[in-house]
Amino acid sequence: MPVISPRFAATLGAVCAGLLLAGCAGTSHNQAAQTCHDLNGASVPASAIGLPTRGATITSTEYVPTATKTPKTHQGYCKVLGDIAPVDTHAPAIKFQLNLPAEWNGKSLMIGGGGYNGILAKTTDLLPAGPADKPDPIGLGYATYGSDSGHQLADDPNNPGKFALNTEALKNFSYEALKKTHDTAQQLIASHYGKPATRKYFAGGSTGGREALAVVQKWPQDFDGAIALYPAFAAASLDLQFGRITRALATPGAYPNLEKRAELYKAGIQACDALDGVKDGLISNQRQCNRIFDPATATVDGRPLRCEGGRDTGNQCLSDAQIRAMKVFASDIVFRPPVGSGEVRHAGFNTWGVDLGRPAGDSKLQATINYLNLGSIAPATPMPPNPAGSKSVPYHAGFWDQWVKYFVTQDPSYNSLSLDPTRPGKWRNRINELTRLQDINQTDLSAFANHGGKLLIAHGVADGLVPTRATEDFVRRVRATMGPQQTDAFLRYYEIPGYGHAASTVFNASWDSLTTLENWVEKGTPPGPQVVADTAGVPGRTRPLCEYPGWPKYAGSGDVNSAASFQCVKE
């Protein structure tokens, strides 16, 4: 098996590999650190990687010793950094990180990225929406790894989409870096421990959720299971929806500030909280809320939400222009004709009773939520840079601006607000090309299912950055393509009330998805009733994690903060 350079073959091929492994008596932390250091410079030849590269090289190693880390002592591991060389010498390298734990469980876990990537995936943290009361994957014994998807944000942090000017970098970001990183890491894992991983998993959220679906669709034999959280699966089609929303919010007088959005949120809660059987500050029956709520006629604290006469008369109401913009946010974009990937529409957002940003005060978590949603200043021409902070345009607007400038027109001076995503004119062919590349929308997952693969998907009902309704649409299409029986044999999709995009001050989700996936793959135990906990809104509160289209309804008695007081219904 072609793997690393001969200089390091003896070291890396040993089962103990110099790390503190079970059964490797007499190995000290100092020896482990020294041997880990000796890995520096090892290489993986291009012939061992399933897509074209010029091979991979380890650029640095560091032994990270055992440390006390809540909720369990974090075991030592060898942190390996490396580069996968592009075929195009003008393209950036794919930078990756591989963590080799001292006490290996025999399994590997690839971690996805986020946004436009450009930074190393968070391979030493808990999984997105992971259980706060259990060890992280390294603590569980997983060899974890991930990459920056083939470009470096630090080169131009104000222009995170600039990499797309290079074709190989664009393809790497779209999905090719996933295969290249997987093959490189698996070669190093097998050589290091003397045997390959017995199970291989993938987990990610947002862009990382799209990446989870990409590996399932494109390389169904590579992974035994995947966790896709709030997946931006049809990424280019979502970009077009971002453009439609951005243009609506940029209309004079249409952008609702944080105070106005707080009033909109409050009005939604007052109208829809009790639809699940109890007033507890959490909307669970969001679909019914979508049907009954109209910001033009809604009230908040007994007064109209709409400003008198539709004019902007202050922060306690929304003008007609702002109501129109929020209705755009809540509605689908329709593609006539369909885009190149075959998509005919992309869903709008759950909007009513959803936290799209409120005055943060001293709350860093709320400030993050504001940044990930509609920001604090309106879209403009030219679009302001969008670093996280107190002055940010809607995340959608910054993302759209970068996509238009660097993916579509490849003109950094182009006015992104001038491109109508529903009537792209001369840019239609390029947009069709990008949707074929970026939309991960294959719905026949038979190859993955037949391989024995299992797929868990979860999405917060209150996500303001990737539409929950788009994920619902994808899952319905998979079921229509494969049939309910075959789909149920390998896929589960859950929705989390109150949970936003990766974080929430309303209901911040904590769910042990990895154990659920392991039991399904390794023990043949399908997921039973699942419970999700809240770590921020009401810390310790739990809810049943209902399989779509179910939602948790209060049973009529019992502790409103206990999952046992709710039942999943589909009415």
Side-chain angles (χ1 to χ4, degrees), residues 402-438:
Q402 292 289 301
W403 194 70
V404 170
K405 288 177 175 177
Y406 295 110
F407 286 65
V408 180
T409 68
Q410 300 187 306
D411 178 0
S413 65
Y414 195 90
N415 176 9
S416 61
L417 291 179
S418 70
L419 199 161
D420 183 345
T422 61
R423 298 178 181 86
K426 68 178 182 180
W427 302 113
R428 185 179 300 278
N429 288 341
R430 175 60 175 169
I431 287 172
N432 284 341
E433 179 184 355
L434 289 168
T435 61
R436 285 190 288 267
L437 184 65
Q438 291 187 267

mmCIF file of all heavy atoms in Angstrom, residues 402-438:
data_model
loop_
_atom_site.group_PDB
_atom_site.id
_atom_site.type_symbol
_atom_site.label_atom_id
_atom_site.label_comp_id
_atom_site.label_asym_id
_atom_site.label_seq_id
_atom_site.Cartn_x
_atom_site.Cartn_y
_atom_site.Cartn_z
ATOM 1 N N GLN A 402 -19.883 38.430 -1.856
ATOM 2 C CA GLN A 402 -18.672 37.688 -2.196
ATOM 3 C C GLN A 402 -18.924 36.702 -3.329
ATOM 4 O O GLN A 402 -18.096 36.531 -4.226
ATOM 5 C CB GLN A 402 -18.149 36.947 -0.962
ATOM 6 C CG GLN A 402 -17.611 37.863 0.117
ATOM 7 C CD GLN A 402 -16.296 38.508 -0.274
ATOM 8 O OE1 GLN A 402 -15.314 37.834 -0.544
ATOM 9 N NE2 GLN A 402 -16.281 39.830 -0.324
ATOM 10 N N TRP A 403 -20.075 36.062 -3.307
ATOM 11 C CA TRP A 403 -20.394 35.073 -4.344
ATOM 12 C C TRP A 403 -20.526 35.739 -5.708
ATOM 13 O O TRP A 403 -20.006 35.231 -6.708
ATOM 14 C CB TRP A 403 -21.684 34.339 -3.973
ATOM 15 C CG TRP A 403 -21.945 33.096 -4.765
ATOM 16 C CD1 TRP A 403 -21.253 31.917 -4.702
ATOM 17 C CD2 TRP A 403 -22.987 32.899 -5.729
ATOM 18 N NE1 TRP A 403 -21.811 30.982 -5.557
ATOM 19 C CE2 TRP A 403 -22.878 31.566 -6.205
ATOM 20 C CE3 TRP A 403 -24.010 33.706 -6.219
ATOM 21 C CZ2 TRP A 403 -23.742 31.030 -7.153
ATOM 22 C CZ3 TRP A 403 -24.879 33.176 -7.167
ATOM 23 C CH2 TRP A 403 -24.741 31.861 -7.628
ATOM 24 N N VAL A 404 -21.189 36.891 -5.768
ATOM 25 C CA VAL A 404 -21.345 37.606 -7.032
ATOM 26 C C VAL A 404 -19.994 38.077 -7.552
ATOM 27 O O VAL A 404 -19.663 37.906 -8.735
ATOM 28 C CB VAL A 404 -22.303 38.801 -6.857
ATOM 29 C CG1 VAL A 404 -22.278 39.700 -8.088
ATOM 30 C CG2 VAL A 404 -23.722 38.309 -6.595
ATOM 31 N N LYS A 405 -19.181 38.646 -6.682
ATOM 32 C CA LYS A 405 -17.918 39.236 -7.115
ATOM 33 C C LYS A 405 -16.893 38.194 -7.548
ATOM 34 O O LYS A 405 -16.184 38.385 -8.544
ATOM 35 C CB LYS A 405 -17.336 40.098 -5.996
ATOM 36 C CG LYS A 405 -18.088 41.391 -5.754
ATOM 37 C CD LYS A 405 -17.494 42.167 -4.587
ATOM 38 C CE LYS A 405 -18.186 43.519 -4.426
ATOM 39 N NZ LYS A 405 -17.673 44.261 -3.254
ATOM 40 N N TYR A 406 -16.809 37.100 -6.795
ATOM 41 C CA TYR A 406 -15.704 36.162 -7.031
ATOM 42 C C TYR A 406 -16.126 34.839 -7.664
ATOM 43 O O TYR A 406 -15.327 34.219 -8.360
ATOM 44 C CB TYR A 406 -14.974 35.912 -5.710
ATOM 45 C CG TYR A 406 -14.313 37.160 -5.192
ATOM 46 C CD1 TYR A 406 -14.789 37.810 -4.064
ATOM 47 C CD2 TYR A 406 -13.235 37.717 -5.860
ATOM 48 C CE1 TYR A 406 -14.194 38.980 -3.599
ATOM 49 C CE2 TYR A 406 -12.627 38.881 -5.405
ATOM 50 C CZ TYR A 406 -13.110 39.501 -4.278
ATOM 51 O OH TYR A 406 -12.515 40.654 -3.843
ATOM 52 N N PHE A 407 -17.359 34.407 -7.464
ATOM 53 C CA PHE A 407 -17.813 33.166 -8.075
ATOM 54 C C PHE A 407 -18.466 33.429 -9.436
ATOM 55 O O PHE A 407 -18.188 32.722 -10.398
ATOM 56 C CB PHE A 407 -18.832 32.456 -7.167
ATOM 57 C CG PHE A 407 -18.269 31.803 -5.952
ATOM 58 C CD1 PHE A 407 -17.682 32.553 -4.945
ATOM 59 C CD2 PHE A 407 -18.340 30.422 -5.779
ATOM 60 C CE1 PHE A 407 -17.178 31.957 -3.801
ATOM 61 C CE2 PHE A 407 -17.841 29.808 -4.642
ATOM 62 C CZ PHE A 407 -17.245 30.583 -3.657
ATOM 63 N N VAL A 408 -19.358 34.414 -9.481
ATOM 64 C CA VAL A 408 -20.168 34.633 -10.685
ATOM 65 C C VAL A 408 -19.455 35.527 -11.690
ATOM 66 O O VAL A 408 -19.055 35.076 -12.771
ATOM 67 C CB VAL A 408 -21.544 35.228 -10.319
ATOM 68 C CG1 VAL A 408 -22.378 35.446 -11.599
ATOM 69 C CG2 VAL A 408 -22.300 34.310 -9.356
ATOM 70 N N THR A 409 -19.271 36.787 -11.354
ATOM 71 C CA THR A 409 -18.703 37.744 -12.319
ATOM 72 C C THR A 409 -17.191 37.715 -12.354
ATOM 73 O O THR A 409 -16.589 38.134 -13.345
ATOM 74 C CB THR A 409 -19.152 39.169 -11.985
ATOM 75 O OG1 THR A 409 -18.549 39.587 -10.739
ATOM 76 C CG2 THR A 409 -20.675 39.250 -11.859
ATOM 77 N N GLN A 410 -16.578 37.253 -11.274
ATOM 78 C CA GLN A 410 -15.117 37.275 -11.110
ATOM 79 C C GLN A 410 -14.571 38.687 -11.321
ATOM 80 O O GLN A 410 -13.485 38.881 -11.848
ATOM 81 C CB GLN A 410 -14.453 36.251 -12.036
ATOM 82 C CG GLN A 410 -14.923 34.819 -11.735
ATOM 83 C CD GLN A 410 -14.176 33.763 -12.499
ATOM 84 O OE1 GLN A 410 -14.089 33.817 -13.719
ATOM 85 N NE2 GLN A 410 -13.616 32.803 -11.789
ATOM 86 N N ASP A 411 -15.347 39.651 -10.843
ATOM 87 C CA ASP A 411 -15.001 41.064 -10.932
ATOM 88 C C ASP A 411 -15.163 41.672 -9.537
ATOM 89 O O ASP A 411 -16.286 41.957 -9.097
ATOM 90 C CB ASP A 411 -15.929 41.770 -11.929
ATOM 91 C CG ASP A 411 -15.649 43.260 -12.024
ATOM 92 O OD1 ASP A 411 -14.743 43.763 -11.329
ATOM 93 O OD2 ASP A 411 -16.361 43.934 -12.805
ATOM 94 N N PRO A 412 -14.073 41.909 -8.794
ATOM 95 C CA PRO A 412 -14.167 42.419 -7.421
ATOM 96 C C PRO A 412 -14.838 43.784 -7.314
ATOM 97 O O PRO A 412 -15.272 44.158 -6.217
ATOM 98 C CB PRO A 412 -12.704 42.494 -6.973
ATOM 99 C CG PRO A 412 -11.986 41.514 -7.841
ATOM 100 C CD PRO A 412 -12.687 41.567 -9.171
ATOM 101 N N SER A 413 -14.940 44.519 -8.414
ATOM 102 C CA SER A 413 -15.566 45.834 -8.366
ATOM 103 C C SER A 413 -17.052 45.788 -8.721
ATOM 104 O O SER A 413 -17.721 46.828 -8.717
ATOM 105 C CB SER A 413 -14.852 46.798 -9.321
ATOM 106 O OG SER A 413 -15.024 46.383 -10.671
ATOM 107 N N TYR A 414 -17.578 44.610 -9.000
ATOM 108 C CA TYR A 414 -18.965 44.487 -9.444
ATOM 109 C C TYR A 414 -19.935 44.842 -8.313
ATOM 110 O O TYR A 414 -19.727 44.441 -7.158
ATOM 111 C CB TYR A 414 -19.233 43.065 -9.936
ATOM 112 C CG TYR A 414 -20.504 42.916 -10.732
ATOM 113 C CD1 TYR A 414 -20.495 43.075 -12.113
ATOM 114 C CD2 TYR A 414 -21.712 42.630 -10.112
ATOM 115 C CE1 TYR A 414 -21.667 42.945 -12.862
ATOM 116 C CE2 TYR A 414 -22.883 42.494 -10.849
ATOM 117 C CZ TYR A 414 -22.849 42.659 -12.221
ATOM 118 O OH TYR A 414 -24.007 42.533 -12.944
ATOM 119 N N ASN A 415 -20.984 45.563 -8.630
ATOM 120 C CA ASN A 415 -22.025 45.918 -7.669
ATOM 121 C C ASN A 415 -22.985 44.742 -7.518
ATOM 122 O O ASN A 415 -23.839 44.517 -8.384
ATOM 123 C CB ASN A 415 -22.764 47.173 -8.140
ATOM 124 C CG ASN A 415 -23.931 47.535 -7.237
ATOM 125 O OD1 ASN A 415 -24.114 46.968 -6.159
ATOM 126 N ND2 ASN A 415 -24.756 48.479 -7.689
ATOM 127 N N SER A 416 -22.886 44.020 -6.426
ATOM 128 C CA SER A 416 -23.688 42.803 -6.256
ATOM 129 C C SER A 416 -25.172 43.103 -6.161
ATOM 130 O O SER A 416 -26.000 42.246 -6.495
ATOM 131 C CB SER A 416 -23.225 42.037 -5.017
ATOM 132 O OG SER A 416 -23.371 42.820 -3.844
ATOM 133 N N LEU A 417 -25.544 44.305 -5.713
ATOM 134 C CA LEU A 417 -26.964 44.635 -5.611
ATOM 135 C C LEU A 417 -27.609 44.846 -6.979
ATOM 136 O O LEU A 417 -28.838 44.866 -7.096
ATOM 137 C CB LEU A 417 -27.157 45.882 -4.759
ATOM 138 C CG LEU A 417 -26.849 45.729 -3.267
ATOM 139 C CD1 LEU A 417 -27.062 47.052 -2.542
ATOM 140 C CD2 LEU A 417 -27.696 44.634 -2.642
ATOM 141 N N SER A 418 -26.783 44.979 -8.018
ATOM 142 C CA SER A 418 -27.337 45.185 -9.357
ATOM 143 C C SER A 418 -27.697 43.881 -10.053
ATOM 144 O O SER A 418 -28.351 43.899 -11.101
ATOM 145 C CB SER A 418 -26.331 45.960 -10.228
ATOM 146 O OG SER A 418 -25.209 45.159 -10.550
ATOM 147 N N LEU A 419 -27.297 42.742 -9.498
ATOM 148 C CA LEU A 419 -27.587 41.452 -10.118
ATOM 149 C C LEU A 419 -28.891 40.905 -9.534
ATOM 150 O O LEU A 419 -28.975 40.628 -8.333
ATOM 151 C CB LEU A 419 -26.430 40.471 -9.896
ATOM 152 C CG LEU A 419 -26.385 39.254 -10.841
ATOM 153 C CD1 LEU A 419 -24.989 38.644 -10.849
ATOM 154 C CD2 LEU A 419 -27.394 38.176 -10.449
ATOM 155 N N ASP A 420 -29.886 40.741 -10.367
ATOM 156 C CA ASP A 420 -31.177 40.201 -9.954
ATOM 157 C C ASP A 420 -31.113 38.677 -10.055
ATOM 158 O O ASP A 420 -30.999 38.127 -11.160
ATOM 159 C CB ASP A 420 -32.285 40.747 -10.862
ATOM 160 C CG ASP A 420 -33.679 40.286 -10.440
ATOM 161 O OD1 ASP A 420 -33.783 39.344 -9.634
ATOM 162 O OD2 ASP A 420 -34.666 40.868 -10.932
ATOM 163 N N PRO A 421 -31.166 37.964 -8.944
ATOM 164 C CA PRO A 421 -31.016 36.507 -9.001
ATOM 165 C C PRO A 421 -32.146 35.799 -9.725
ATOM 166 O O PRO A 421 -31.991 34.653 -10.143
ATOM 167 C CB PRO A 421 -30.962 36.097 -7.530
ATOM 168 C CG PRO A 421 -31.642 37.195 -6.806
ATOM 169 C CD PRO A 421 -31.346 38.448 -7.571
ATOM 170 N N THR A 422 -33.279 36.451 -9.897
ATOM 171 C CA THR A 422 -34.387 35.838 -10.634
ATOM 172 C C THR A 422 -34.327 36.172 -12.123
ATOM 173 O O THR A 422 -34.990 35.516 -12.926
ATOM 174 C CB THR A 422 -35.747 36.286 -10.074
ATOM 175 O OG1 THR A 422 -35.872 37.708 -10.215
ATOM 176 C CG2 THR A 422 -35.868 35.913 -8.611
ATOM 177 N N ARG A 423 -33.536 37.184 -12.493
ATOM 178 C CA ARG A 423 -33.346 37.560 -13.891
ATOM 179 C C ARG A 423 -31.871 37.882 -14.109
ATOM 180 O O ARG A 423 -31.489 39.049 -14.274
ATOM 181 C CB ARG A 423 -34.222 38.774 -14.247
ATOM 182 C CG ARG A 423 -35.711 38.528 -14.120
ATOM 183 C CD ARG A 423 -36.500 39.798 -14.438
ATOM 184 N NE ARG A 423 -37.942 39.584 -14.306
ATOM 185 C CZ ARG A 423 -38.603 39.696 -13.160
ATOM 186 N NH1 ARG A 423 -37.954 40.012 -12.049
ATOM 187 N NH2 ARG A 423 -39.916 39.493 -13.115
ATOM 188 N N PRO A 424 -31.026 36.859 -14.117
ATOM 189 C CA PRO A 424 -29.577 37.113 -14.123
ATOM 190 C C PRO A 424 -29.008 37.538 -15.462
ATOM 191 O O PRO A 424 -27.822 37.876 -15.549
ATOM 192 C CB PRO A 424 -28.991 35.767 -13.686
ATOM 193 C CG PRO A 424 -30.007 34.764 -14.117
ATOM 194 C CD PRO A 424 -31.342 35.430 -13.960
ATOM 195 N N GLY A 425 -29.815 37.500 -16.525
ATOM 196 C CA GLY A 425 -29.344 37.979 -17.820
ATOM 197 C C GLY A 425 -28.110 37.241 -18.309
ATOM 198 O O GLY A 425 -28.089 36.009 -18.374
ATOM 199 N N LYS A 426 -27.057 38.000 -18.630
ATOM 200 C CA LYS A 426 -25.856 37.406 -19.215
ATOM 201 C C LYS A 426 -25.112 36.490 -18.248
ATOM 202 O O LYS A 426 -24.217 35.739 -18.673
ATOM 203 C CB LYS A 426 -24.915 38.496 -19.706
ATOM 204 C CG LYS A 426 -24.287 39.346 -18.601
ATOM 205 C CD LYS A 426 -23.340 40.372 -19.191
ATOM 206 C CE LYS A 426 -22.647 41.200 -18.122
ATOM 207 N NZ LYS A 426 -21.716 42.191 -18.701
ATOM 208 N N TRP A 427 -25.474 36.530 -16.955
ATOM 209 C CA TRP A 427 -24.795 35.677 -15.975
ATOM 210 C C TRP A 427 -25.501 34.342 -15.782
ATOM 211 O O TRP A 427 -25.067 33.526 -14.975
ATOM 212 C CB TRP A 427 -24.693 36.407 -14.638
ATOM 213 C CG TRP A 427 -23.968 37.715 -14.736
ATOM 214 C CD1 TRP A 427 -24.479 38.961 -14.556
ATOM 215 C CD2 TRP A 427 -22.586 37.895 -15.077
ATOM 216 N NE1 TRP A 427 -23.518 39.909 -14.748
ATOM 217 C CE2 TRP A 427 -22.339 39.290 -15.072
ATOM 218 C CE3 TRP A 427 -21.537 37.030 -15.382
ATOM 219 C CZ2 TRP A 427 -21.093 39.829 -15.355
ATOM 220 C CZ3 TRP A 427 -20.291 37.562 -15.658
ATOM 221 C CH2 TRP A 427 -20.077 38.938 -15.655
ATOM 222 N N ARG A 428 -26.570 34.084 -16.514
ATOM 223 C CA ARG A 428 -27.336 32.848 -16.303
ATOM 224 C C ARG A 428 -26.486 31.601 -16.518
ATOM 225 O O ARG A 428 -26.539 30.662 -15.717
ATOM 226 C CB ARG A 428 -28.552 32.811 -17.227
ATOM 227 C CG ARG A 428 -29.470 31.609 -16.977
ATOM 228 C CD ARG A 428 -30.690 31.603 -17.878
ATOM 229 N NE ARG A 428 -31.517 32.788 -17.691
ATOM 230 C CZ ARG A 428 -32.410 32.919 -16.722
ATOM 231 N NH1 ARG A 428 -32.584 31.941 -15.847
ATOM 232 N NH2 ARG A 428 -33.131 34.012 -16.643
ATOM 233 N N ASN A 429 -25.696 31.564 -17.589
ATOM 234 C CA ASN A 429 -24.900 30.357 -17.867
ATOM 235 C C ASN A 429 -23.884 30.103 -16.763
ATOM 236 O O ASN A 429 -23.667 28.949 -16.361
ATOM 237 C CB ASN A 429 -24.200 30.483 -19.217
ATOM 238 C CG ASN A 429 -25.157 30.368 -20.385
ATOM 239 O OD1 ASN A 429 -26.278 29.846 -20.241
ATOM 240 N ND2 ASN A 429 -24.746 30.847 -21.545
ATOM 241 N N ARG A 430 -23.247 31.170 -16.278
ATOM 242 C CA ARG A 430 -22.273 30.994 -15.204
ATOM 243 C C ARG A 430 -22.971 30.522 -13.930
ATOM 244 O O ARG A 430 -22.457 29.635 -13.220
ATOM 245 C CB ARG A 430 -21.538 32.312 -14.947
ATOM 246 C CG ARG A 430 -20.566 32.291 -13.760
ATOM 247 C CD ARG A 430 -19.467 31.256 -13.940
ATOM 248 N NE ARG A 430 -18.490 31.346 -12.848
ATOM 249 C CZ ARG A 430 -17.540 30.446 -12.618
ATOM 250 N NH1 ARG A 430 -17.449 29.377 -13.400
ATOM 251 N NH2 ARG A 430 -16.698 30.614 -11.631
ATOM 252 N N ILE A 431 -24.113 31.071 -13.629
ATOM 253 C CA ILE A 431 -24.861 30.632 -12.450
ATOM 254 C C ILE A 431 -25.291 29.177 -12.593
ATOM 255 O O ILE A 431 -25.203 28.390 -11.633
ATOM 256 C CB ILE A 431 -26.069 31.560 -12.214
ATOM 257 C CG1 ILE A 431 -25.585 32.909 -11.673
ATOM 258 C CG2 ILE A 431 -27.081 30.926 -11.263
ATOM 259 C CD1 ILE A 431 -26.652 33.965 -11.582
ATOM 260 N N ASN A 432 -25.711 28.777 -13.775
ATOM 261 C CA ASN A 432 -26.057 27.368 -14.000
ATOM 262 C C ASN A 432 -24.850 26.469 -13.766
ATOM 263 O O ASN A 432 -24.969 25.382 -13.172
ATOM 264 C CB ASN A 432 -26.599 27.184 -15.408
ATOM 265 C CG ASN A 432 -28.024 27.690 -15.569
ATOM 266 O OD1 ASN A 432 -28.735 27.856 -14.582
ATOM 267 N ND2 ASN A 432 -28.440 27.954 -16.801
ATOM 268 N N GLU A 433 -23.696 26.912 -14.213
ATOM 269 C CA GLU A 433 -22.466 26.139 -14.013
ATOM 270 C C GLU A 433 -22.153 26.005 -12.520
ATOM 271 O O GLU A 433 -21.801 24.922 -12.037
ATOM 272 C CB GLU A 433 -21.310 26.826 -14.739
ATOM 273 C CG GLU A 433 -19.967 26.129 -14.593
ATOM 274 C CD GLU A 433 -18.839 26.913 -15.255
ATOM 275 O OE1 GLU A 433 -19.117 27.950 -15.902
ATOM 276 O OE2 GLU A 433 -17.674 26.494 -15.123
ATOM 277 N N LEU A 434 -22.293 27.099 -11.778
ATOM 278 C CA LEU A 434 -22.008 27.071 -10.346
ATOM 279 C C LEU A 434 -23.002 26.205 -9.585
ATOM 280 O O LEU A 434 -22.624 25.500 -8.641
ATOM 281 C CB LEU A 434 -22.001 28.490 -9.790
ATOM 282 C CG LEU A 434 -20.815 29.354 -10.208
ATOM 283 C CD1 LEU A 434 -21.061 30.815 -9.854
ATOM 284 C CD2 LEU A 434 -19.518 28.861 -9.560
ATOM 285 N N THR A 435 -24.270 26.234 -9.969
ATOM 286 C CA THR A 435 -25.236 25.375 -9.282
ATOM 287 C C THR A 435 -24.940 23.905 -9.523
ATOM 288 O O THR A 435 -25.115 23.075 -8.619
ATOM 289 C CB THR A 435 -26.688 25.696 -9.696
ATOM 290 O OG1 THR A 435 -26.854 25.475 -11.092
ATOM 291 C CG2 THR A 435 -27.061 27.123 -9.339
ATOM 292 N N ARG A 436 -24.497 23.576 -10.725
ATOM 293 C CA ARG A 436 -24.125 22.176 -10.982
ATOM 294 C C ARG A 436 -22.941 21.757 -10.120
ATOM 295 O O ARG A 436 -22.841 20.591 -9.711
ATOM 296 C CB ARG A 436 -23.809 21.983 -12.464
ATOM 297 C CG ARG A 436 -25.039 21.942 -13.369
ATOM 298 C CD ARG A 436 -24.696 21.509 -14.786
ATOM 299 N NE ARG A 436 -23.977 22.546 -15.498
ATOM 300 C CZ ARG A 436 -24.532 23.469 -16.271
ATOM 301 N NH1 ARG A 436 -25.858 23.497 -16.412
ATOM 302 N NH2 ARG A 436 -23.802 24.366 -16.890
ATOM 303 N N LEU A 437 -22.067 22.698 -9.811
ATOM 304 C CA LEU A 437 -20.887 22.398 -9.012
ATOM 305 C C LEU A 437 -21.193 22.404 -7.523
ATOM 306 O O LEU A 437 -20.738 21.520 -6.778
ATOM 307 C CB LEU A 437 -19.797 23.438 -9.328
ATOM 308 C CG LEU A 437 -18.426 23.253 -8.673
ATOM 309 C CD1 LEU A 437 -17.760 21.968 -9.170
ATOM 310 C CD2 LEU A 437 -17.543 24.463 -8.967
ATOM 311 N N GLN A 438 -21.977 23.373 -7.060
ATOM 312 C CA GLN A 438 -22.137 23.602 -5.622
ATOM 313 C C GLN A 438 -23.394 22.992 -5.013
ATOM 314 O O GLN A 438 -23.423 22.747 -3.799
ATOM 315 C CB GLN A 438 -22.148 25.106 -5.341
ATOM 316 C CG GLN A 438 -20.820 25.810 -5.568
ATOM 317 C CD GLN A 438 -20.910 27.242 -5.084
ATOM 318 O OE1 GLN A 438 -21.215 28.158 -5.847
ATOM 319 N NE2 GLN A 438 -20.673 27.442 -3.792
#
